[in-house]
Amino acid sequence: MLDILATKDLNFRYGSQTALDGLEVEVPECSLFGLLGPNGSGKTTFFKIISTLLQPSSGTCHVAGVEVSKNPARVRQQLGVVFQQPALDLALSVRDNLRLHGALYGLKGHLLDDRITQSLQQLGLLERATDRCRSLSGGLLRRADLARSILHRPKLLLLDEPTNGLDPVARHAFWGFIHELRQRYQITVLVATHLMEEAEKCDELAILNQGKVVCRGTPEGLKSTLGSDTLWITASDPETLATLLQEKMGWRVKQFGKALCVWHHAPDSLLTPLYRDFGASILSASIRKPTLEDVFLTHTGNLFDPNPSIGV
Amino acid sequence: MTAFWALWKREVVKFFFDRGRMGGALAQPLLFWLLLGLGFQGSFRLREDAGISFLTFLFPGMVLLVVVFTAIFSTVSIVEEKRSGFFQAALIAPVSRWWLVFGNVAGGTTLGILQAALFLLFTPLMGIPATFLGMVSALLICGLMGTAFGSLGFVMAWKVKSTRGFLALMNFFLMPLWMLSGAFFPISGIPETIQWVAWLNPVTYGLDALRIAMYGFGNLPIHTILGFWPSVGIFLSFTLLTLFGAQYAIHKPFTD
């Protein structure tokens, strides 16, 4: 399968600060690809480079085979972007906004009018077409912004934390529309998020930390790297307990905030010795399957042990 | 070209939706003019002693202010929009950024010209001997002024981080430029060092050209530094300079 987006050794520096540090990502055509990373991990910088707003300090970035810094105009034609803040003029109606954006892509006349009506219909906004954007709810505004971003039928759609600030119902509806659009137009979607629920929906994920891809794979594949079950402990003094568990019991322990995570091939066998020896300092202990959040924290979190060897 | 008209239309439509802005753009210069004009009426006497009142003297300067305010205010929204609104999408569209500047500035300028026209209708009432050709020329000069200050506003909006910074910067530039353009007092009557500043001020020549046109190219009650065409020439150069400045600015990434 062809890669619609491919970067090689992509670097970007703001002054002395390194925002992207040899980033390598390949996004296959028609996939839903997730970029998962904490704030400041370089997601937004990466998006700005893809959308030709910033020039990389070094390295290459190809969109549909076109190098972004060599031919930005071609890349822009292929690209739709939903920003963290809707790129709509709140004083204008939904339809006027779409007309304005169509004009920026050189669309006009019947073609533009048909596209607008079609987009509004697909996104369930037809009745609100003449309402000013200011009067729309957050969820509807996002949808209007989505309609805007696909008006020129892009091949690659970038979503930068697209459901930021939406309630769960609106978020669910938004993703419903994304799936519909993907099926209809074979759009490749690259979504930057820090919501695990959204990451779960992706075909493939890359976890970003400090401008690098620290791991990538399918959501299931990533979770399975943490083993089948892990033991989670909350304690009043997690630092001390972690040290004790590592030194006295020889367990593989990592601290996330107040919680400790223990990897073991048979975690249920750990419960008895745990309560017998450390019962007084434990608030709770449970065994569960690893979640994406665990994967995320393992690779990006505030590490107790900076270089844990993960695995069973 | 489609993009140009779309952006132009956006400015114009938004202005008519926004009653507060519409009122403010007209009321502020009008108040300024009435308060200053009537306030200084008694103490003001031109050296040339042409026998015009301060209100009449101030009138062209007020027309200038109407145009400049309107043009600059139509760029203030860009401060926010470049980061969290319409402009972020405009910047990644395949359209040339020249059109983004042109369309935006042309929209604000159009609004400025429309409002100037409204004021110019009253020229004969001021005892100014207006002619049709003079009025048309005056509107064209207003067009240059709108373009120049719209472009300056664009550069400012691109450089500053907040609307507050924009307004502070605007007051810092605009008021002295206006005061020292001969709008508020004749340049011939002020100390020589300040005269130098006025001579270097491009707005002086724009206002001179406007004054000459408003008086129908006939007898002016006060002296201008240069004649009509040289003044227009200087102001046109300034306008082109600001327009290129705006083009230069928009091709650079904005500061966050």
Side-chain angles (χ1 to χ4, degrees):
Chain A
M1 213 175 341
L2 200 79
D3 288 335
I4 190 115
L5 175 73
T7 69
K8 264 225 161 65
D9 194 28
L10 195 63
N11 288 287
F12 189 83
R13 284 178 288 275
Y14 290 99
S16 62
Q17 233 177 339
T18 304
L20 295 182
D21 184 10
L23 188 78
E24 308 229 344
V25 173
E26 298 89 38
V27 178
E29 206 163 23
C30 297
S31 63
L32 172 53
F33 195 99
L35 279 178
L36 201 58
N39 294 326
S41 59
K43 287 176 296 182
T44 302
T45 306
F46 184 35
F47 271 22
K48 279 187 176 164
I49 289 176
I50 303 171
S51 50
T52 73
L53 287 176
L54 288 177
Q55 292 257 356
S57 307
S58 65
T60 60
C61 177
H62 287 85
V63 173
V66 182
E67 163 63 46
V68 280
S69 50
K70 297 233 171 72
N71 198 345
R74 277 270 303 283
V75 171
R76 289 171 181 195
Q77 195 70 49
Q78 320 273 15
L79 213 63
V81 182
V82 174
F83 300 89
Q84 286 184 24
Q85 306 286 332
L88 299 167
D89 192 322
L90 297 181
L92 300 179
S93 73
V94 178
R95 196 182 280 277
D96 282 347
N97 261 297
L98 296 184
R99 281 210 185 101
L100 181 58
H101 279 279
L104 295 179
Y105 285 85
L107 299 170
K108 54 189 166 187
H110 284 304
L111 176 69
L112 178 59
D113 285 338
D114 292 347
R115 286 257 178 108
I116 291 175
T117 309
Q118 202 183 0
S119 299
L120 290 174
Q121 207 159 23
Q122 281 159 12
L123 290 161
L125 283 166
L126 212 48
E127 300 96 83
R128 308 296 299 266
T130 53
D131 290 8
R132 289 218 222 150
C133 285
R134 199 184 299 288
S135 69
L136 299 184
S137 68
L140 287 177
L141 201 60
R142 284 287 169 178
R143 262 195 258 166
D145 203 33
L146 186 58
R148 170 196 64 72
S149 71
I150 55 151
L151 212 54
H152 58 290
R153 303 284 179 265
K155 280 191 184 153
L156 175 63
L157 184 61
L158 305 182
L159 308 175
D160 191 1
E161 295 176 16
T163 58
N164 208 358
L166 294 192
D167 64 60
V169 178
R171 186 176 297 161
H172 189 77
F174 183 87
W175 278 100
F177 288 113
I178 292 284
H179 285 298
E180 248 173 66
L181 293 174
R182 284 184 65 208
Q183 281 179 351
R184 198 184 296 255
Y185 300 119
Q186 277 87 48
I187 289 181
T188 311
V189 179
L190 176 63
V191 56
T193 183
H194 48 228
L195 298 175
M196 301 308 142
E197 174 206 333
E198 291 184 351
E200 290 277 2
K201 298 178 201 286
C202 295
D203 302 325
E204 203 175 339
L205 281 172
I207 297 185
L208 242 65
N209 197 31
Q210 297 178 339
K212 279 190 192 109
V213 174
V214 287
C215 72
R216 57 176 294 174
T218 61
E220 287 314 312
L222 287 174
K223 281 186 278 189
S224 68
T225 59
L226 293 188
S228 51
D229 290 306
T230 37
L231 169 64
W232 285 83
I233 306 164
T234 56
S236 45
D237 184 2
E239 283 88 2
T240 319
L241 184 64
T243 318
L244 285 173
L245 291 179
Q246 273 177 324
E247 286 171 4
K248 291 213 168 146
M249 316 292 283
W251 294 353
R252 202 172 287 141
V253 182
K254 201 160 155 190
Q255 185 186 346
F256 302 112
K258 281 205 177 306
L260 299 178
C261 179
V262 182
W263 287 280
H264 195 270
H265 57 90
D268 39 345
S269 69
L270 303 179
L271 281 175
T272 316
L274 179 70
Y275 273 101
R276 187 187 59 217
D277 298 344
F278 305 99
S281 52
I282 289 167
L283 300 175
S284 74
S286 61
I287 291 165
R288 58 176 169 77
K289 292 211 176 306
T291 62
L292 264 183
E293 194 159 351
D294 301 338
V295 179
F296 182 73
L297 288 172
T298 309
H299 285 97
T300 66
N302 228 346
L303 305 182
F304 176 69
D305 171 2
N307 287 307
S309 47
I310 302 150
V312 189
Chain B
M1 214 47 201
T2 326
F4 171 83
W5 285 115
L7 283 157
W8 176 85
K9 194 176 149 201
R10 177 176 94 108
E11 276 313 309
V12 177
V13 168
K14 273 175 79 168
F15 184 77
F16 287 104
F17 272 152
D18 194 345
R19 294 224 181 94
R21 213 179 119 203
M22 226 160 102
L26 283 174
Q28 194 177 358
L30 194 64
L31 266 179
F32 235 69
W33 175 58
L34 282 175
L35 292 176
L36 288 175
L38 294 172
F40 283 105
Q41 186 86 293
S43 44
F44 175 84
R45 179 163 298 128
L46 281 170
R47 256 217 200 139
E48 289 95 345
D49 204 22
I52 59 166
S53 69
F54 193 52
L55 272 177
T56 310
F57 173 77
L58 212 51
F59 191 61
M62 189 215 38
V63 173
L64 181 148
L65 210 54
V66 169
V67 177
V68 164
F69 267 142
T70 311
I72 283 201
F73 273 116
S74 74
T75 62
V76 64
S77 61
I78 295 170
V79 179
E80 306 289 333
E81 279 181 328
K82 69 185 180 197
R83 227 175 310 118
S84 63
F86 159 73
F87 251 85
Q88 39 177 1
L91 290 175
I92 58 148
V95 62
S96 159
R97 290 192 179 173
W98 283 86
W99 293 122
L100 298 184
V101 173
F102 281 142
N104 212 81
V105 170
T109 303
T110 305
L111 296 170
I113 292 178
L114 284 177
Q115 298 194 67
L118 212 61
F119 277 96
L120 286 176
L121 286 177
F122 295 96
T123 313
L125 292 181
M126 305 298 307
I128 296 173
T131 64
F132 180 71
L133 184 66
M135 286 296 114
V136 174
S137 311
L139 286 180
L140 289 175
I141 293 162
C142 288
L144 285 184
M145 288 172 172
T147 310
F149 281 91
S151 305
L152 268 185
F154 205 101
V155 176
M156 276 167 25
W158 211 254
K159 294 286 167 202
V160 301
K161 292 179 180 114
S162 68
T163 306
R164 239 188 265 179
F166 182 94
L167 293 177
L169 202 61
M170 187 186 93
N171 279 329
F172 181 73
F173 276 119
L174 194 55
M175 275 300 137
L177 281 179
W178 181 73
M179 291 267 194
L180 289 172
S181 68
F184 190 50
F185 37 71
I187 292 164
S188 53
I190 54 177
E192 206 175 333
T193 32
I194 308 182
Q195 267 186 20
W196 271 101
V197 183
W199 285 335
L200 292 175
N201 178 4
V203 186
T204 307
Y205 303 96
L207 184 71
D208 275 354
L210 182 65
R211 231 187 253 281
I212 296 169
M214 283 174 73
Y215 278 83
F217 303 99
N219 284 336
L220 272 178
I222 49 159
H223 293 300
T224 56
I225 298 173
L226 298 169
F228 181 71
W229 287 111
S231 302
V232 170
I234 291 176
F235 198 74
L236 181 65
S237 315
F238 173 65
T239 307
L240 291 176
L241 201 70
T242 55
L243 205 49
F244 281 110
Q247 293 297 347
Y248 180 75
I250 199 177
H251 281 90
K252 302 251 148 198
F254 54 80
T255 37
D256 268 315

